[in-house]
């Protein structure tokens, strides 16, 4: 049983379940302080359920930000790639300029 809680896919909790949980958590009988007096196991499960609800709330805020980050990183990688191409082109031009300057110095 504990292993199933540890391995629980917290990212795939259906919205209907979260809705039921959000109706359950404010109830007086589902308060951790009250359950702790009755049963350590019930207290632990209560804490776990509340953590899953909190995780879902936070995940809804963080998910769009993760998508924005992925887009920004992809754009950054593309711009970096183009920058490196331009740096390589500049190096070729600078090497050619240096070769011409060396040739000019040799002629003088």
């Amino acid at each position: 049983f504990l292993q199933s809680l540890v391995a629980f896919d917290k990212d795939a909790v259906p919205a209907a379940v979260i809705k039921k949980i959000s109706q359950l958590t404010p109830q007086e009988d589902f308060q951790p302080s009250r359950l702790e007096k009755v049963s350590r196991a019930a207290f632990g499960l209560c804490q776990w359920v509340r953590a899953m609800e909190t995780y879902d709330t936070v995940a809804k805020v963080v998910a769009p930000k993760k998508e924005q980050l992925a887009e920004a990183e992809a754009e950054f990688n593309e711009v970096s790639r183009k920058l490196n191409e331009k740096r390589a082109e500049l190096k070729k031009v600078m090497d050619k300029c240096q070769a011409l300057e060396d040739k000019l110095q040799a002629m003088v």
Side-chain angles (χ1 to χ4, degrees):
F1 178 73
L2 289 176
Q3 189 58 34
S4 67
L5 294 179
V6 172
F8 185 77
D9 185 6
K10 57 192 172 285
D11 294 315
V13 179
V17 172
I18 295 298
K19 185 176 179 182
K20 287 180 184 178
I21 289 171
S22 66
Q23 293 169 354
L24 181 66
T25 53
Q27 292 181 9
E28 183 63 32
D29 288 339
F30 200 69
Q31 299 307 308
S33 58
R34 186 165 183 178
L35 287 172
E36 189 173 25
K37 295 173 188 173
V38 177
S39 165
R40 298 277 307 153
F43 171 75
L45 279 174
C46 174
Q47 293 289 82
W48 183 83
V49 169
R50 288 175 170 276
M52 291 300 107
E53 180 186 29
T54 302
Y55 178 86
D56 184 72
T57 303
V58 171
K60 287 178 183 171
V61 172
V62 172
K65 293 178 181 184
K66 283 184 177 180
E67 290 175 15
Q68 291 173 344
L69 175 62
E71 291 172 7
E73 286 177 338
E75 183 179 348
F76 172 77
N77 290 336
E78 179 64 21
V79 169
S80 292
R81 184 187 61 78
K82 288 179 181 178
L83 176 62
N84 288 335
E85 288 175 3
K86 295 299 180 185
R87 284 180 175 162
E89 290 175 20
L90 176 62
K91 184 175 180 345
K92 287 180 185 177
V93 170
M94 295 300 288
D95 289 347
K96 188 172 184 179
C97 284
Q98 186 62 45
L100 289 172
E101 284 183 15
D102 292 346
K103 187 175 180 181
L104 178 63
Q105 290 298 323
M107 294 173 108
V108 177

